[in-house]
Amino acid sequence: MTCPSYHPPDEMLMAYGTGSLDEASSLLIATHLTLCRRCRIEVERIEAMGGGLLDSLAPESLSEGALARVMTRLDGPPARSRPPQTAAVAGMPAPLWPYIAGGVDALPWRRVGPGIQQVFVASGPIARARMLRVAPGVVIPQHGHAAGEMTMVLRGGFADAGQTFEIGDIEVAGPETIHRPASDPEEGCLCLAVTDGPLRLTGLLGRLLNPFLDL
Ligand SMILES: [Zn+2]
């Protein structure tokens, strides 16, 4: 398996490794880690660093309650404390299984534009995770982002601004990003996207499509 070329921002890996990331973002990072050895090593390093810090604290410097809270914190966010005995979903990374039980095709997909479908899989007060299914050769109308979005390829791929994103690759878009991604002409694209702010579509088609995106 080839390693992904585009990775999550370092601060996301740091937040994940210290158990302080929200559920939707944790889902995306955990899924990326199953596909990316480089980031797995980095998270292991961060976790070891966190464990070392905890060990270096004298026991009497933490009250019993504080220690329990720290230990709970180290157990990670809800995304990682879900029951692990979820049935496997063929062809999909394990962290996604609890969110897509029954399989990708059985999800309540909603059409949001020509050749574009989406379904929300995890919503929280900070960020929301959705899956996007784009038919082959579809160009997503030019759009901007009011906040941040990370989009990771699960199947197929897409091209954007001269870069090609394949399985495991993450495109990070911020408030300054205005782009027009195009799905793979043969395979289309299945993506996991985490948005921490509303999407803002620009251009005429974008403005027409905007009400349907419900973001
Ligand atoms: Zn990576």
Side-chain angles (χ1 to χ4, degrees), residues 4 6-8 32 36 38-39:
Y6 301 98
H7 307 274
H32 178 77
C36 182
R38 168 198 180 272
C39 290

Side-chain angles (χ1 to χ4, degrees), residues 27-206:
L27 173 62
L28 184 133
I29 300 296
T31 304
H32 178 77
L33 293 183
T34 65
L35 302 163
C36 182
R37 187 166 175 273
R38 168 198 180 272
C39 290
R40 263 200 317 272
I41 291 170
E42 179 60 13
V43 166
E44 276 164 20
R45 195 183 64 80
I46 293 164
E47 284 173 345
M49 213 164 64
L53 270 178
L54 200 62
D55 288 344
S56 69
L57 292 173
E60 62 270 24
S61 69
L62 282 176
S63 71
E64 222 164 78
L67 183 62
R69 279 197 299 280
V70 169
M71 295 316 285
T72 307
R73 192 76 174 164
L74 288 178
D75 284 342
R80 285 194 281 175
S81 56
R82 286 184 172 234
Q85 65 273 24
T86 317
V89 178
M92 288 290 115
L96 275 169
W97 295 349
Y99 297 88
I100 56 171
V104 172
D105 289 333
L107 292 169
W109 291 100
R110 206 161 62 87
R111 183 180 179 276
V112 290
I116 312 168
Q117 294 176 303
Q118 75 172 14
V119 59
F120 283 95
V121 292
S123 292
I126 301 168
R128 299 207 282 176
R130 65 197 159 116
M131 288 178 83
L132 277 166
R133 189 155 68 169
V134 186
V138 169
V139 178
I140 311 259
Q142 176 172 295
H143 62 278
H145 298 261
E149 184 175 65
M150 295 188 292
T151 305
M152 183 173 62
V153 177
L154 298 170
R155 202 185 282 160
F158 67 91
D160 193 16
Q163 293 172 315
T164 303
F165 296 85
E166 296 173 341
I167 292 175
D169 283 332
I170 295 178
E171 182 180 44
V172 179
E176 72 292 342
T177 312
I178 291 181
H179 62 164
R180 207 167 154 268
S183 68
D184 183 276
E186 278 162 25
E187 291 185 78
C189 190
L190 179 69
C191 292
L192 177 67
V194 172
T195 312
D196 61 16
L199 206 65
R200 174 173 54 85
L201 290 178
T202 59
L204 179 60
L205 185 54

